[in-house]
Amino acid sequence: MKPTLLLLALLPLPFITYSQGDSLQPPNLQNRNKDIAWNFYKDLWFTNNTDKYVDYVAEEYVVHDIGDRKDVVEPAIEQKITADRFWDNGSWDSKINYQIAEGDLVATRWEATYKPSTFLGKVVFGSGTIPIINVFRFNEEGKIVEIWNHRHDIDTNQTMRFTIKGLLIGLLMALIPTIIAIRLKKKLRAARK
């Protein structure tokens, strides 16, 4: 009887010792971070609530952008400034396609559809839909501390900048022989006189 009572008394011991745990288990942490990322897009890019940037972004964060802009440390206000620049020149009709979370990272694939309403918006930002993938790293407080920004700029007016640059370089290269030919023609006329 004593061994049975002792066994019954010790049986719940493993459950008691392991019942305490972190209140924010990884799946809950990942869901929290996905919700924060979702609300970040909702407030800054889907509606014009850019003052809420402080709810989502740490005082300073690191950005990794396409092109040469890598490992740049920016103050949080840059997110508001960038979003305001777009909102001041047009409107958005965007949507999130999906999100994936792992550890302290959240990847979001979304489509940004911009409709410019000013000349600056049309020339600089262009119009249309552009697919974007952002990856955010979150700190323990649930603030974005690192952003990887990958846009499919080939679908935008941004590529027109390279087209115009190439055209200008080509015209300059064609202009040099033209100037030389005009000078030689003048020298030839002067030599005939």
Side-chain angles (χ1 to χ4, degrees):
M1 183 78 171
K2 280 186 181 184
T4 310
L5 283 175
L6 183 62
L7 181 63
L8 287 175
L10 294 177
L11 189 61
L13 188 62
F15 300 109
I16 294 170
T17 57
Y18 293 105
S19 66
Q20 296 290 324
D22 188 5
S23 62
L24 209 52
Q25 294 294 324
N28 292 337
L29 180 67
Q30 292 170 1
N31 288 335
R32 178 202 72 175
N33 291 345
K34 283 170 66 174
D35 288 342
I36 294 168
W38 187 280
N39 289 326
F40 169 84
Y41 291 108
K42 184 184 74 159
D43 285 334
L44 272 70
W45 299 106
F46 300 168
T47 60
N48 192 356
N49 294 324
T50 59
D51 289 332
K52 290 191 171 188
Y53 76 95
V54 295
D55 296 343
Y56 309 111
V57 185
E59 287 184 30
E60 286 188 340
Y61 63 94
V62 178
V63 65
H64 311 276
D65 213 335
I66 57 175
D68 295 331
R69 202 164 167 259
K70 306 270 189 269
D71 299 320
V72 177
V73 177
E74 291 182 338
I77 191 72
E78 283 298 318
Q79 285 297 312
K80 176 183 174 27
I81 291 169
T82 302
D84 283 343
R85 193 175 304 129
F86 279 96
W87 281 108
D88 291 344
N89 292 291
S91 62
W92 291 96
D93 182 25
S94 303
K95 66 178 181 177
I96 290 179
N97 300 113
Y98 58 86
Q99 287 185 307
I100 302 169
E102 181 178 312
D104 60 353
L105 298 172
V106 174
T108 305
R109 202 280 190 179
W110 62 293
E111 293 176 14
T113 302
Y114 188 67
K115 297 173 186 166
S117 61
T118 65
F119 179 73
L120 180 68
K122 290 176 185 171
V123 172
V124 175
F125 305 125
S127 63
T129 301
I130 178 172
I132 300 172
I133 297 174
N134 295 128
V135 179
F136 296 157
R137 180 181 305 281
F138 290 87
N139 63 13
E140 298 80 26
E141 290 82 38
K143 300 283 185 165
I144 299 167
V145 293
E146 202 164 4
I147 299 174
W148 287 265
N149 187 25
H150 303 281
R151 298 177 311 272
H152 199 248
D153 283 349
I154 195 123
D155 292 338
T156 68
N157 286 353
Q158 297 293 327
T159 55
M160 187 58 81
R161 180 175 48 178
F162 300 111
T163 304
I164 291 171
K165 183 178 177 182
L167 178 65
L168 292 176
I169 291 172
L171 289 174
L172 180 64
M173 300 213 28
L175 189 60
I176 293 171
T178 304
I179 292 171
I180 293 171
I182 291 171
R183 285 187 175 178
L184 288 175
K185 188 175 179 181
K186 285 181 182 179
K187 284 184 182 180
L188 188 59
R189 281 187 190 162
R192 287 186 190 171
K193 289 184 183 179

